[in-house]
Amino acid sequence: MIESNPQLNKEVPQSKKIASMGKMSVRIINELYSPIDAVNRFINLALQSLDDDSQSRQFLIESKKGIRKTSTLLKRLNDCVKKIEKETREIVAIND
């Protein structure tokens, strides 16, 4: 017979809560990708219609760099959250 571990009994609900928060975070991150992609597409369209030496083009290029950086950060956050979610699921599976 396996003895009950009080510390383990406290950690399982916390792990489940963390896993749930991870799933919600992944959904939010995925929802942020769509508007970022739309802004990136809009910038690309606007860049096609501007002269190479215009100030507006330079502003759009800087905006594109910011959008790219934001997208990269979201991808890193998404990867991190998925890793945490996976590890938490493993902990919960071991303790169930």
Side-chain angles (χ1 to χ4, degrees):
M1 181 173 187
I2 299 175
E3 291 183 30
S4 179
N5 182 335
Q7 181 64 27
L8 217 54
N9 292 339
K10 289 179 184 176
E11 290 176 3
V12 170
Q14 290 173 344
S15 296
K16 288 181 180 182
K17 185 181 276 188
I18 291 170
S20 174
M21 289 170 43
K23 288 178 185 178
M24 183 173 54
S25 297
V26 168
R27 282 194 305 269
I28 291 169
I29 291 167
N30 288 332
E31 287 180 27
L32 289 171
Y33 276 122
S34 183
I36 288 174
D37 183 56
V39 169
N40 191 45
R41 289 173 188 265
F42 178 79
I43 290 172
N44 287 335
L45 285 172
L47 284 170
Q48 290 176 5
S49 65
L50 295 174
D51 295 329
D52 288 344
D53 59 348
S54 73
Q55 187 175 15
S56 297
R57 183 176 183 79
Q58 294 307 312
F59 290 148
L60 287 170
I61 289 171
E62 289 300 315
S63 297
K64 188 170 175 76
K65 288 178 186 176
I67 291 295
R68 190 176 299 135
K69 185 176 181 179
T70 302
S71 182
T72 300
L73 289 171
L74 275 176
K75 179 166 179 11
R76 288 174 51 199
L77 180 61
N78 192 37
D79 292 344
C80 182
V81 168
K82 285 182 178 181
K83 181 180 176 186
I84 291 169
E85 184 183 8
K86 179 183 176 210
E87 290 172 1
T88 305
R89 276 194 315 257
E90 289 171 359
I91 291 168
V92 169
I94 290 170
N95 295 315
D96 275 346

